[in-house]
């Protein structure tokens, strides 16, 4: 039986090497092999030092995710035992880091007596992103080695640091240029006679900064309050690091273990781990023949240089793919390309790009006023006004212009891709690519699979999404696809609740308290109340029409469902209340007290129901895909896992009961999902990966 861990000798240095592709995850056999290697070093009098190194693309990049939640992850030697055995080795242990040392990988490095790394390496403890904390002494060793502030930044945010930053913090003892193994062995030779061995758990010097500044922890909490809102794990990481400052190491690790187990047994950790797998599952495409190869995309065309077209273009330019962008008027073209340059320069001013990179990206852009200039493009994305007739006209022209085999895509948010594809002689080459605004920032991409979309077109779109750093989800052809179709009942019910007695601020507060970044009316004001408005101020059929008719179009006008000051801070609007009361009077509605629970049932439970209807219709491949759409596209709190996972944590019988309780108020168009009902009756879950 082969083992992922081997040991070799180089003089008096024992080299423990991991070869566990693809990321040297710390599964049981790896942990066991490391322990055996350390025990071999302890037994052999000729061994004077140890180097732990990994083959392949990375050092230990974390736990083995296939062992999550299984007994194997706790079998001896569990990771806390492994790191203690490393630290208690009687010979100096040097961790030689390349690629990433993440999570348990960094805990192995922290337990080693020394750490060396190549400059390109990254070090981090991302457990907080899975609703956890580093539970093998990481919260106790990290502040002792890197300092309390650096430990807080790394553990509570989960963001990694570069090897250079780690070196400056004292987390890495030496940066290695050249052959890592050769230099790590040479370093081990240098330190082999050093005694006492520098044990991370015994260090105390770097804790002094926090002892001298007891307000440090609360300052960190306040500085990150918005980012951490609603999450349990960041606070638990902070508390664990605070324990490292206040208590001896032996007591600190006990507290760390207690906090770890509390998180591990909580709903948030389950939700965040579920979502971790859901995101990976989303890239899998059902119904595509094995061996389907993607088409080669070397040049992209974009029609429309507005907010969406410009943002879409930036994704490809940033990935090094040339773009030809087409507009009808020179003024619109110049304005659009100017905004793109301004966005790139803003990124550069934050240090996230160099001016050279800005120049390179913009140098790949070809502005044009002629559709014919798209003839040599491999992918053409239409990003114009959301109007079926306009889109059909464009696709009819593209059918004549685009080269054979070119993929034709629409960035529509709602419209029927099959109807658009039918205007061409090549419906197999047509699909939807629904980018979310702002398209150069938002990670979600709904890939809409038409009835005749060819398998290789779908595969191409999904692979291209990864290249431009998007999280792609396959959606079927239905009005609004996945995300916007579920948004419709939420917005419809929110508007109806205004008529019945709720206020915009009450409804928005329920959603913000739930964990959403903003409520339905805050979102409408930000996006623009006038989006999709018919533009006739004399035609007032609902509250939104009335707002638009008096120029209350949202934040851009300083007034929408809320009034806004010069800094765009909202306040309740007497004018809006007057409009609502006018509509109530016309509809003969007597306002009543609306409870927060009713708001949840009518705006969130209805979303779950719509998600179930989407699954029933085959418009989403799996429930977890729906959750990915809502977390990445609409800010659903990841600690709740997504609407379908949340429904399971609430209990499907509770969801169905709440919907039935509201049936009379949900309107004649509401249809209760039979999938949801049957799952509830069978005590089954709807979300699974």
């Amino acid at each position: 039986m082969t083992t992922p861990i081997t040991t070799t000798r180089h003089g008096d240095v024992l080299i423990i090497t991991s070869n566990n592709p693809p990321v040297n995850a710390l599964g049981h056999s790896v942990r066991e092999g490391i322990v055996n290697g350390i025990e071999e070093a302890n037994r052999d009098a000729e061994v004077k030092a140890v180097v732990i190194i990994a083959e392949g693309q990375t050092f230990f990049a974390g736990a083995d995710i296939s062992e999550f939640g299984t007994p194997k992850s706790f079998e001896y030697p569990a990771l806390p035992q492994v790191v203690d055995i490393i630290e208690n080795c009687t010979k100096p242990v040097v961790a030689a880091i390349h690629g990433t040392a993440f999570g348990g990988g960094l805990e192995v490095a922290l337990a080693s007596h020394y750490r060396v790394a190549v400059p390109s390496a990254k070090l981090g403890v991302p457990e907080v992103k899975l609703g956890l904390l580093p539970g093998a002494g990481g919260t106790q060793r990290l502040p002792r080695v890197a300092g309390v502030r650096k430990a807080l930044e790394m553990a509570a945010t989960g963001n990694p640091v570069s090897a250079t930053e780690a070196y400056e913090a004292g987390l890495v003892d030496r940066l290695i240029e050249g052959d890592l193994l050769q230099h790590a062995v040479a370093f081990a030779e240098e330190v082999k006679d050093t005694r006492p061995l520098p044990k991370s758990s015994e260090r105390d010097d770097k804790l002094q900064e926090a002892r001298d500044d007891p307000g440090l922890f609360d300052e960190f909490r306040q500085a990150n309050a918005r980012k951490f809102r609603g999450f349990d794990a960041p606070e638990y990481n902070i508390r664990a690091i605070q324990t490292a400052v206040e208590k001896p190491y032996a007591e600190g690790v006990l507290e760390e273990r207690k906090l770890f187990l509390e998180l591990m047994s909580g709903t948030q950790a389950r939700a965040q781990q579920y979502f971790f797998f859901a995101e990976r599952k989303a890239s899998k495409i059902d119904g595509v023949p094995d061996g389907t190869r993607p088409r080669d995309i070397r040049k992209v065309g974009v029609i429309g240089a507005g907010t969406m077209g410009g943002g879409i273009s930036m994704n490809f330019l940033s990935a090094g793919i040339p773009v030809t962008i087409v507009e009808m008027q020179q003024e619109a073209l110049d304005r659009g390309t100017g905004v793109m340059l301004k966005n790139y320069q803003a990124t550069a001013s934050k240090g996230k790009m160099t001016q050279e990179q800005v120049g390179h990206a913009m140098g790949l852009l070809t502005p044009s006023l002629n559709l014919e200039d798209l003839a040599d493009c491999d992918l053409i994305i239409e990003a114009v006004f959301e109007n079926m007739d306009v889109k059909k006209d464009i696709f009819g022209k593209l059918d004549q212009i685009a080269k054979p085999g070119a993929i034709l895509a629409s960035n529509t948010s709602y419209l029927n891709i099959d109807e658009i594809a039918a205007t061409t002689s090549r419906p197999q080459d047509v699909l939807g690519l629904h980018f979310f605004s702002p398209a150069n920032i938002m990670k979600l991409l709904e890939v809409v699979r038409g009835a005749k979309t060819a398998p290789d077109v779908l595969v191409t779109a999904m692979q291209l999404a990864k290249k431009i750093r998007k999280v792609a989800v396959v959606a079927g052809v239905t009005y609004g696809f996945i995300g916007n179709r579920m948004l419709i009942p939420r917005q419809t019910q929110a508007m109806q609740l205004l008529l019945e007695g709720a206020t915009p601020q009450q409804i928005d507060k329920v959603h913000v308290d739930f964990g959403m970044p903003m409520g339905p009316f805050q979102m409408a004001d930000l996006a623009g109340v006038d989006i999709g408005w018919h533009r006739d101020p004399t035609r007032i059929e609902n509250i939104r029409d009335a707002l638009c008719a008096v120029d209350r179009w949202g934040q851009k006008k300083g007034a929408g469902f809320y009034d806004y000051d010069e800094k765009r801070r909202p306040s309740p609007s007497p004018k809006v209340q007057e409009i609502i009361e006018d509509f109530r009077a016309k509809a003969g509605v007597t306002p009543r007290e609306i409870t927060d629970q009713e708001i949840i049932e009518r705006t969130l439970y209805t979303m779950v129901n719509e998600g179930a209807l989407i699954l029933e219709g085959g418009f989403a491949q799996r429930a977890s895909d729906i959750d990915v759409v809502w977390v990445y596209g609409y800010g659903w709190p990841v600690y709740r896992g997504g609407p379908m996972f949340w429904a399971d944590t609430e209990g499907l019988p509770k969801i169905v009961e709440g919907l039935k309780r509201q049936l009379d108020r949900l309107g004649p168009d509401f249809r209760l999902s039979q999938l949801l009902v049957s799952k509830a009756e069978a005590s089954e879950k709807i979300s699974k990966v």
Side-chain angles (χ1 to χ4, degrees):
M1 183 177 172
T2 58
T3 172
I5 299 290
T6 55
T7 58
T8 53
R9 286 275 294 277
H10 187 286
D12 53 7
V13 176
L14 182 71
I15 302 163
I16 300 175
T17 304
S18 175
N19 184 13
N20 187 35
V23 294
N24 285 299
L26 285 157
H28 183 263
S29 58
V30 173
R31 301 194 303 271
E32 193 172 53
I34 293 171
V35 168
N36 290 339
I38 297 295
E39 289 174 348
E40 179 184 339
N42 283 332
R43 284 194 309 267
D44 192 336
E46 293 184 6
V47 171
K48 303 300 182 187
V50 178
V51 168
I52 299 178
I53 196 166
E55 292 183 356
Q57 62 187 22
T58 184
F59 192 69
F60 306 108
D64 186 339
I65 58 174
S66 69
E67 290 185 2
F68 273 16
T70 69
K72 208 158 194 177
S73 62
F74 300 104
E75 281 180 20
Y76 179 86
L79 191 58
Q81 296 162 320
V82 174
V83 294
D84 285 346
I85 288 167
I86 292 170
E87 191 175 64
N88 290 317
C89 181
T90 57
K91 323 286 173 69
V93 179
V94 179
I97 301 166
H98 77 294
T100 55
F102 283 171
L106 185 56
E107 290 182 297
V108 165
L110 283 165
S112 302
H113 305 114
Y114 301 95
R115 289 152 295 283
V116 300
V118 296
S120 60
K122 292 188 179 298
L123 297 82
V125 277
E127 284 88 345
V128 70
K129 295 181 179 180
L130 295 176
L132 299 172
L133 53 75
T139 64
Q140 305 305 295
R141 289 187 176 96
L142 186 57
R144 287 174 161 84
V145 176
V148 175
R149 289 183 191 276
K150 184 61 67 179
L152 284 171
E153 289 169 15
M154 292 174 69
T157 69
N159 296 330
V161 297
S162 67
T164 303
E165 195 176 343
Y167 175 72
E168 290 167 354
L171 183 53
V172 167
D173 297 293
R174 183 174 295 174
L175 293 175
I176 301 296
E177 298 282 358
D179 185 273
L180 177 60
L181 178 59
Q182 178 185 335
H183 286 282
V185 169
F187 184 89
E189 288 284 358
E190 286 179 40
V191 300
K192 66 183 181 183
D193 295 323
T194 301
R195 297 294 184 279
L197 294 172
K199 295 184 178 183
S200 299
S201 65
E202 294 177 356
R203 289 184 59 173
D204 196 56
D205 52 306
K206 291 204 172 179
L207 302 180
Q208 197 58 43
E209 62 171 328
R211 291 171 180 157
D212 292 341
D213 181 11
L216 182 154
F217 292 98
D218 283 339
E219 286 170 18
F220 181 78
R221 287 182 176 99
Q222 288 164 14
N224 292 279
R226 187 174 176 185
K227 189 189 302 179
F228 296 161
R229 180 177 69 89
F231 287 90
D232 292 336
E235 173 58 25
Y236 275 57
N237 275 270
I238 295 167
R239 281 163 52 189
I241 292 168
Q242 194 164 358
T243 299
V245 173
E246 296 170 352
K247 294 184 178 180
Y249 177 83
E251 292 180 36
V253 288
L254 293 177
E255 180 65 15
E256 176 191 85
R257 175 56 32 176
K258 173 176 164 288
L259 293 171
F260 178 86
L261 292 173
E262 281 181 24
L263 286 173
M264 192 72 176
S265 61
T267 303
Q268 289 200 4
R270 286 200 302 276
Q272 289 178 252
Q273 289 162 39
Y274 157 84
F275 190 77
F276 176 86
F277 290 106
E279 185 181 337
R280 279 144 189 80
K281 187 79 170 177
S283 64
K284 306 290 189 293
I285 313 169
D286 292 343
V288 170
D290 291 341
T292 301
R293 297 180 63 81
R295 299 185 188 181
D296 196 14
I297 305 296
R298 296 185 181 181
K299 188 174 185 181
V300 172
V302 176
I303 303 171
T307 302
M308 288 307 298
I312 290 168
S313 298
M314 290 177 71
N315 290 301
F316 295 100
L317 297 174
S318 299
I321 300 171
V323 173
T324 297
I325 189 166
V326 177
E327 256 295 352
M328 294 179 65
Q329 304 293 332
Q330 188 68 48
E331 183 185 355
L333 188 62
D334 292 343
R335 183 169 57 248
T337 55
V339 169
M340 291 167 65
L341 177 59
K342 186 179 176 183
N343 287 340
Y344 273 131
Q345 288 176 335
T347 303
S349 70
K350 296 172 186 171
K352 295 179 180 178
M353 284 180 85
T354 64
Q355 286 299 331
E356 185 181 358
Q357 288 170 324
V358 172
H360 178 69
M362 291 302 292
L364 293 171
L365 181 67
T366 304
S368 172
L369 296 173
N370 300 308
L371 279 178
E372 288 77 10
D373 289 340
L374 302 175
D376 62 342
C377 292
D378 304 297
L379 165 67
I380 302 171
I381 304 171
E382 163 275 308
V384 302
F385 187 62
E386 189 78 344
N387 178 284
M388 180 60 87
D389 291 336
V390 173
K391 292 181 186 289
K392 282 181 174 182
D393 180 61
I394 287 173
F395 273 78
K397 291 174 181 175
L398 287 179
D399 194 32
Q400 303 301 314
I401 294 168
K403 67 184 182 181
I407 297 173
L408 309 181
S410 175
N411 179 54
T412 178
S413 306
Y414 288 92
L415 302 179
N416 189 309
I417 290 297
D418 291 334
E419 193 176 332
I420 293 170
T423 64
T424 75
S425 62
R426 45 171 115 181
Q428 73 280 0
D429 294 335
V430 178
L431 81 168
L433 291 178
H434 177 209
F435 289 82
F436 284 65
S437 184
N440 55 309
I441 295 171
M442 295 291 282
K443 287 189 73 173
L444 181 68
L445 176 63
E446 281 184 322
V447 177
V448 187
R449 178 188 211 165
K452 296 183 178 178
T453 302
D456 64 336
V457 169
L458 198 60
V459 167
T460 304
M462 296 298 281
Q463 291 200 4
L464 195 58
K466 287 183 181 177
K467 191 166 186 179
I468 62 172
R469 298 184 176 181
K470 299 295 182 191
V471 176
V473 172
V474 175
V477 178
T478 181
Y479 187 74
F481 313 125
I482 296 173
N484 283 342
R485 177 171 161 174
M486 291 172 66
L487 193 64
I488 292 168
R490 188 187 86 165
Q491 300 301 101
T492 301
Q493 289 303 313
M495 293 294 285
Q496 184 61 31
L497 282 160
L498 290 185
L499 280 180
E500 294 177 29
T503 63
Q505 51 270 30
Q506 180 193 5
I507 295 169
D508 284 344
K509 184 177 186 299
V510 168
H511 285 81
V512 171
D513 288 349
F514 179 81
M516 299 295 288
M518 59 186 72
F521 300 107
Q522 293 166 320
M523 188 187 81
D525 276 1
L526 179 64
V529 182
D530 62 315
I531 290 179
W533 180 48
H534 47 65
R535 295 296 192 268
D536 180 357
T538 65
R539 182 178 142 203
I540 299 175
E541 299 170 353
N542 52 46
I543 292 171
R544 192 189 74 157
D545 287 350
L547 294 178
C548 290
V550 293
D551 265 10
R552 297 190 70 94
W553 293 6
Q555 287 191 21
K556 59 191 173 187
K557 292 275 192 174
F561 284 96
Y562 295 90
D563 290 332
Y564 293 89
D565 63 18
E566 65 282 353
K567 293 184 178 178
R568 291 200 174 189
R569 289 177 298 207
S571 59
S573 170
K575 177 65 177 175
V576 171
Q577 193 58 34
E578 183 184 314
I579 289 171
I580 292 169
E581 287 170 3
D582 183 46
F583 267 88
R584 279 181 192 151
K586 288 176 183 173
V589 174
T590 302
R592 59 186 176 83
E593 185 177 338
I594 307 289
T595 66
D596 289 355
Q597 181 60 28
E598 181 176 345
I599 293 170
I600 288 172
E601 289 173 359
R602 289 178 62 181
T603 61
L604 297 182
Y605 285 16
T606 50
M607 280 178 53
V608 171
N609 183 71
E610 199 67 30
L613 289 170
I614 287 169
L615 288 172
E616 277 182 36
F619 302 117
Q621 296 187 120
R622 50 193 79 91
S624 59
D625 284 4
I626 294 173
D627 289 336
V628 171
V629 166
W630 267 84
V631 169
Y632 276 122
Y634 301 85
W636 186 280
V638 69
Y639 59 78
R640 294 192 189 274
M644 309 315 281
F645 181 88
W646 171 71
D648 282 331
T649 60
E650 286 286 282
L652 297 189
K654 179 181 176 183
I655 300 287
V656 171
E657 181 188 336
L659 288 168
K660 287 180 176 178
R661 184 164 47 245
Q662 301 297 340
L663 271 178
D664 290 344
R665 295 184 174 124
L666 292 176
D669 294 333
F670 178 79
R671 179 166 62 93
L672 188 59
S673 163
Q674 287 310 300
L675 174 66
L676 194 64
V677 172
S678 63
K679 292 278 187 186
E681 289 174 349
S683 299
E684 293 177 356
K685 293 186 181 296
I686 199 165
S687 67
K688 53 187 175 184
V689 288

